Amino acid sequence: MPAPFNLAISLDASLQAAATAAGLETPFAAEVRGADPRHGDFQANGVLGYAKARKLNPRAVAQQLVGALPAEVTAAYEVAIAGPGFINFTLKPAGLLGWLQAHARAEQLAAGAAQSRTGEAWILDYSSPNTAKQMHVGHLRSAVIGEAVARLLAYSGAKVTRDNHIGDWGTQFGKLIWAYKRHVDQAALARDPIEEFERLYKLGNNAADADVAVMDEARAELVQLQAGKPASLEVWRQINEASLRAFQQVYDQLGIRFDLTLGESFYNDKVARVYEELAKLGLAQESQRALVVFHPEHPRFKEQPFIIRKSDGAANYASTDLATILYRCEVLKATGMLYVVDKRQSDHFEQLFLTARKWFAATNRPEPRMEHVDFGTVLGENNKPLKTRSGENIKLKDLLLEASDRAYALVCTKNPDLPEAEKRVIAEVVGTGSVQYADLAQNRSSDYVFAWDRMISLEGNTAAYLLYAVARLRSIFRKLGAVPGDTAGEAAASGLETATELALARKLMKFPEAILLAAGQMRPHFLCLYLYELAGEFSAFYNADKVAVDDPSVRARRLLLCARTLLILETGLHLLGLRTLERM
RNA sequence: GUCCCCGUAGCUCAGCUGGAUAGAGCAGCGGUUUUCUAAACCGCCGGUCGCGUGUUCGAGUCACGCCGGGGACGCCA
């Protein structure tokens, strides 16, 4: 009998059927959820509310429900009624082993997970830096969280399109092109294009401030660019290409690859339609020469305008964001879109979504799901936004480099005999992974304090702790000359016995819940927490139960546990965007 | 001024749609290695969940008020 991927869901369905069989009134919700291990694996709390609403004795209702449970359930679980009417379910050891045997390979887990979001098509809008500028620490969270959410949704069965909505259009290009044409240093450009663009922009900006004639020339450059003059477009195109190449170096380290890069310039010719439609529908109105949208039903947005066209006639990000929503629905056939953006922009997104909903409703377009996946600020240890000592933004490139350096120093003390090249790889994986994981492990909505020591000190809920568990698991298989997931070997496994074996197996079986929770709320920290607890159970098991024992059936079942732990740890870490290691 | 978010152990944080005795890590104290990586494991210590009132079988979680911190608020994104 194949074990269902998500036992909680399957149990819920069984209870629902039992409720009908027991003659309970509808609606009845079983409310199955993971339980405190002291009480069991799962608990159903539904009878409490049900009994209350009908002034029944909850324990009697629970009794009635338990009496109607199908034989498969009572065979697989210890069932107990506790307290005011909780029903506790503890999977028997044979059931645990059965689940582990049914989910032996990555494809089997993936197939199970993919059931929850089939048919959904999401556009993920994340990272989205400005071209011609360095990515700095302020770009970290969007990239890291966005990628993890993308992977979680895809794993859950959704079609995911990663769209890098870069800032590649704006008034700064006039000054930049002016300076580029006159002062570009080709050698510097080849070495580090963004560094050079930043230098040129500052140069152009200063020159324009100092000299009105330069300002006029810069303005003329901008007009020519916007008018589509080929020579200007060519420079602009070069700037963007070089910028994207530089971004990709960071993305490669973070495991990010976009499907689309449709920046603001792409929507240049698509904003006019937005103005026309919204004006015609009466949603937008002229105010102080700008085109704005008010929301009379909203306490604040009845007065605080959503400016969709500036008084000088130019577009702003409200214009392009509206055009983007339309394009994503009409052309890309998205059923939903997510914006992984700083929470300080929540007003903008609230106004944007309100406006888009009214617009779509008024034009009979199907309404997409739109969600602002917000996140807090990265703070320094002084609890203020993280900066360098001189008050500059920290470049993402430098941050990741420092992470690797710190990890390298650590590998050299912990495992000095490894080959130099391998130490470098370990440093890169551990360093980058530590930065990613520190960002993901905390609830994204809150600010978080960036602290190197806590991040790479490798204690507690950190990337290194998890990667270390993976490395130890790999080491076991290396030492024993065994292959993880070897079915023939696993067939010899005897039943789970020790407390640590059982605790580990129980935690493994909870993987589906962790995925569901993390993907459902687009909060990767739920997966982090699960993986951390799993690694903890593994470490306790590793310490208490030796795998390399003589008894072949004991060894086989422990190897099976190791193989599943390895599989789920790696699957989880990869979903978060981290790489894993053989040794560290 | 209006609105939003936050306040949980000395520190950094979990706590899923209200569920059982509020949990981790760090720091502190004490243990564990002739055994698969000790970057580990085990134990102890530590909380009036900012304060108050209310809602109910049940509140860290919901409502209202207050105190404290952060953020947003017309042409940057």
Side-chain angles (χ1 to χ4, degrees), chain A residues 431-497:
Chain A
T432 308
S434 296
V435 171
Q436 290 171 291
Y437 192 84
D439 201 317
L440 293 167
Q442 189 163 329
N443 188 338
R444 59 175 162 76
S445 295
S446 41
D447 295 345
Y448 89 96
V449 179
F450 192 96
W452 283 119
D453 292 340
R454 227 179 306 129
M455 193 177 295
I456 310 199
S457 79
L458 317 171
E459 283 166 328
N461 190 2
T462 62
Y465 181 75
L466 300 181
L467 292 171
Y468 180 62
V470 170
R472 283 171 129 187
L473 282 157
R474 289 277 176 205
S475 174
I476 291 171
F477 287 100
R478 259 198 315 275
K479 286 275 162 63
L480 300 185
V483 178
D486 169 47
T487 1
E490 287 181 357
S494 49
L496 303 172
E497 263 176 31

Side-chain angles (χ1 to χ4, degrees), chain A residues 130-149:
Chain A
N130 292 326
T131 57
K133 285 187 189 164
Q134 295 276 354
M135 287 181 83
H136 57 81
V137 69
H139 295 106
L140 177 68
R141 299 204 81 186
S142 179
V144 169
I145 295 168
E147 182 59 28
V149 170

Side-chain angles (χ1 to χ4, degrees), chain A residues 3 124 303 382 442 521:
Chain A
L124 253 82
E303 310 245 311
N382 56 1
Q442 189 163 329
Q521 304 191 22

Side-chain angles (χ1 to χ4, degrees), chain A residues 320-334:
Chain A
T320 51
D321 277 357
L322 285 165
T324 302
I325 291 173
L326 184 59
Y327 181 82
R328 287 173 176 168
C329 291
E330 278 191 336
V331 181
L332 301 177
K333 309 294 179 201

Side-chain angles (χ1 to χ4, degrees), chain A residues 53-96:
Chain A
R54 291 164 183 78
K55 299 196 188 308
L56 299 168
N57 177 346
R59 287 192 67 106
V61 177
Q63 201 59 256
Q64 201 181 337
L65 189 59
V66 167
L69 280 171
E72 311 93 83
V73 172
T74 46
Y77 295 93
E78 311 282 357
V79 184
I81 299 168
F86 302 109
I87 309 174
N88 292 327
F89 297 88
T90 307
L91 192 59
K92 295 175 184 172
L96 283 170

